Amino acid sequence: MRHAEFAFPGPLRDKLVAAILRGEKTSTTGLVAEYEKYGEELPVVGERELMIDSAGEGVAVLETTEVRVIPLSEVDLQHALDEGEGFTSVAEWRADHTDYWQSAEMRAAMEDPEFTVDDTTLVVATRFKIVERIG
């Protein structure tokens, strides 16, 4: 089973995993460029993944319920709200995600110190549900 890993291990991943387990986070957004960089297939509806916490342990099985590949400029308010991080606007969601995607840690992972995102950057907007809790 493929692993679902949200952000890098640490406080942000812990926050996101907790939000998912509480049922507050039911969507996520990734970069097509990141999938391509690591040679990973995009998620597909019906696929199940083992969600991994910061300790590397599986804590739940998630099932993908929707996948949209869209330009960053087309992320809608409902998707931003369903990310479960307390965003109240697309602008707020975008500022937070842009900071993450252009962080030193992400640029290192992408092996590109100049990596940036803009309106045309393709993202994978995914919805999911918990189908099994582990532990």
Side-chain angles (χ1 to χ4, degrees), residues 90-108:
V90 172
E92 184 180 11
W93 171 91
R94 178 152 174 184
D96 181 79
H97 281 69
T98 297
D99 286 349
Y100 174 78
W101 288 324
Q102 294 179 173
S103 69
E105 197 169 21
M106 180 59 92
R107 287 176 170 170

Side-chain angles (χ1 to χ4, degrees), residues 22-78:
R22 287 191 306 269
E24 297 168 1
K25 180 174 178 63
T26 58
S27 71
T28 193
T29 313
L31 298 173
V32 169
E34 191 174 9
Y35 283 92
E36 291 172 347
K37 165 89 175 134
Y38 293 102
E40 295 179 5
E41 297 292 322
L42 296 180
V44 295
V45 171
E47 177 180 27
R48 292 186 174 191
E49 297 177 299
L50 180 63
M51 182 171 63
I52 304 297
D53 66 11
S54 287
E57 299 294 323
V59 295
V61 175
L62 306 179
E63 182 177 311
T64 302
T65 60
E66 180 182 60
V67 178
R68 295 180 297 149
V69 176
I70 56 176
L72 183 56
S73 63
E74 292 183 21
V75 171
D76 57 86
L77 179 59
Q78 192 60 58

